[in-house]
């Protein structure tokens, strides 16, 4: 009798333990969803998402949730997203195509028209809008918000947070490969519709990313985006990164600027301005490209030997401290 009693007690304990762990699992799952971002609440983990923002698609890919993407807008033209079908433009996508993919979430920015948003919501497809981060703090929030939406309050949040930390760590590691004994000066230039040269003003997230290149930004203290041509000529950066061929033509056709060191040594490289608004996979690629161009392929070049003495930037004047 005692033997049967012991077996019964042991079985009871096992069943109780199983119920306990089952309850814990249920509690854990219940903590993941619902997720609320702004005025939109997601009740369960999205499986099929459509992304109408090249920036958000870039970050989602870096986080690792790109496997959920069943559609993208034509603006998401990164090469690594080419396998994802297009659903039309970011402002006016094909609603039928989106719903036909069994989409349970659309992620967009402020480009999406209100009419398209209403049509999607009328079809039962929730739309969450997120805009480009303007600071590194905002970028961390953007990563964690996307992770939370796509993976849950606990798991997804942690994945997004870890991905942001990995991005910063990787970029810093790339910069760490640059010897402090090698001094390069650089600038980023683009042209607006008014024909004026522009750069990244001090404190902007673009200027912060540009600073990870390991070179000295001649416009480190630039208060506004407009570039003074005479200051550019005097600074004579050894490397120029620019938005397009239009910028290169502008510089070559300007009598004063055409003699700059970067142009004379063919140290000019195009990195589209739009890439600086893609804050995931492309961010990492930008830093790698700049470092490779300045310190790997041309590591035999001497630091700004052709620059006028009075215009040379000293090593201590490095572009903004990186976070």
């Amino acid at each position: 009798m005692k033997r049967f009693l012991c077996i019964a007690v042991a079985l009871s304990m096992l069943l109780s333990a199983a119920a306990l762990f089952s309850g814990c699992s249920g509690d854990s799952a219940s903590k993941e969803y619902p997720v609320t971002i702004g005025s939109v609440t997601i009740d369960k983990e999205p499986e099929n998402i459509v992304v109408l923002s090249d920036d958000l698609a870039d970050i989602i890919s870096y986080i690792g949730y790109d496997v959920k993407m069943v559609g993208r807008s034509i603006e998401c033209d990164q090469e690594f997203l080419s396998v994802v079908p297009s659903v039309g433009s970011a402002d006016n996508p094909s609603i039928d195509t989106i719903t036909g993919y069994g989409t349970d979430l659309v992620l967009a920015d402020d480009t999406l028209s209100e009419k398209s948003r209403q049509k999607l919501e009328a079809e039962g497809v929730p739309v969450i809008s997120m805009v480009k981060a303007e600071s590194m703090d905002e970028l961390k929030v953007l990563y964690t918000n996307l992770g939370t939406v796509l993976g849950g309050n606990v798991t997804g949040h942690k994945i997004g947070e870890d991905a942001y930390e990995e991005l910063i760590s990787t970029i810093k590691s790339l910069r760490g490969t640059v010897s402090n004994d090698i001094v390069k000066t650089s600038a980023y230039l683009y042209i607006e519709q008014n024909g004026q040269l522009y750069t990244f003003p001090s404190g902007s997230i673009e200027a912060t990313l540009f600073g990870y290149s390991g070179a000295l930004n001649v416009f480190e203290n630039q208060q506004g985006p407009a570039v003074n041509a005479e200051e550019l000529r005097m600074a004579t950066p050894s490397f120029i990164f620019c938005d397009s061929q239009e910028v290169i033509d502008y510089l070559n056709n300007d009598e004063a600027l055409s003699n700059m060191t970067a142009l004379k040594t063919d140290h000019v490289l195009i990195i589209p301005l739009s890439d600086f608004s893609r804050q995931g996979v492309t961010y990492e690629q930008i830093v790698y490209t700049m470092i490779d161009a300045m310190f790997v392929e041309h590591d035999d070049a001497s630091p700004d030997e052709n620059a006028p003495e009075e215009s040379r930037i000293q090593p201590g004047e490095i572009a903004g401290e990186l976070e």
Side-chain angles (χ1 to χ4, degrees), residues 37-314:
I37 300 291
S39 60
V40 181
T41 298
I42 307 298
D43 293 321
K44 62 180 182 178
E45 181 175 352
E47 297 297 332
N48 301 316
I49 67 171
V50 168
V51 184
L52 305 177
S53 161
D54 56 336
D55 178 31
L56 299 183
D58 216 72
I59 296 174
I60 290 168
S61 297
Y62 195 85
I63 292 175
Y65 282 128
D66 48 329
V67 293
K68 295 176 178 284
M69 288 179 61
V70 295
R72 60 174 175 86
S73 63
I74 56 176
E75 290 79 5
C76 303
D77 58 3
Q78 296 94 313
E79 185 177 350
F80 54 85
L81 294 174
S82 60
V83 295
V84 182
S86 169
V87 298
S89 65
D91 62 331
N92 186 31
S94 169
I95 307 301
D96 289 340
T97 301
I98 292 175
T99 56
Y101 288 149
T103 306
D104 47 17
L105 176 65
V106 168
L107 289 162
D109 54 23
D110 53 8
T111 306
L112 181 65
S113 69
E114 185 58 30
K115 183 178 180 180
S116 293
R117 176 187 294 274
Q118 291 175 359
K119 286 183 178 179
L120 286 166
E121 292 174 343
E123 292 290 339
V125 181
V127 179
I128 292 180
S129 293
M130 299 181 185
V131 296
K132 181 178 81 75
E134 299 295 340
S135 69
M136 300 308 275
D137 287 340
E138 288 183 8
L139 187 59
K140 184 174 183 177
V141 171
L142 187 54
Y143 268 70
T144 53
N145 280 348
L146 282 169
T148 301
V149 167
L150 298 175
N153 288 304
V154 180
T155 304
H157 182 95
K158 183 70 164 54
I159 288 174
E161 189 173 59
D162 287 349
Y164 171 80
E165 297 300 335
E166 179 184 348
L167 173 70
I168 300 304
S169 176
T170 300
I171 290 175
K172 285 184 176 180
S173 295
L174 287 171
R175 185 189 178 194
T177 63
V178 177
S179 171
N180 292 329
D181 296 330
I182 302 175
V183 181
K184 306 281 187 180
T185 57
S186 65
Y188 186 87
L189 301 169
Y190 62 97
I191 294 177
E192 286 287 14
Q193 292 181 346
N194 60 5
Q196 168 72 47
L197 276 179
Y198 284 84
T199 190
F200 304 134
S202 177
S204 66
I205 193 169
E206 294 87 356
T208 299
L209 181 68
F210 193 68
Y212 279 93
S213 70
L216 306 179
N217 181 2
V218 300
F219 292 113
E220 172 195 0
N221 298 316
Q222 183 84 5
Q223 296 304 304
V227 168
N228 182 296
E230 180 59 18
E231 291 179 359
L232 175 61
R233 184 189 70 80
M234 290 293 294
T236 188
S238 53
F239 281 83
I240 291 177
F241 299 93
C242 58
D243 173 50
S244 64
Q245 182 62 41
E246 181 186 8
V247 178
I248 300 174
D249 294 340
Y250 178 101
L251 298 175
N252 280 320
N253 291 329
D254 187 291
E255 184 176 352
L257 299 177
S258 61
N259 288 320
M260 287 191 298
T261 301
L263 293 171
K264 290 167 64 177
T265 56
D266 198 27
H267 287 167
V268 182
L269 184 67
I270 294 175
I271 299 179
L273 181 62
S274 59
D275 283 2
F276 285 85
S277 295
R278 294 173 171 177
Q279 301 173 323
V281 175
T282 304
Y283 253 31
E284 189 175 297
Q285 292 175 344
I286 288 174
V287 176
Y288 175 84
T289 297
M290 291 191 295
I291 290 176
D292 182 64
M294 291 188 290
F295 298 100
V296 178
E297 296 181 351
H298 308 282
D299 58 1
D300 59 335
S302 56
D304 293 336
E305 290 179 350
N306 297 321
E309 188 65 36
E310 66 273 16
S311 72
R312 292 186 190 175
I313 298 178
Q314 299 305 311

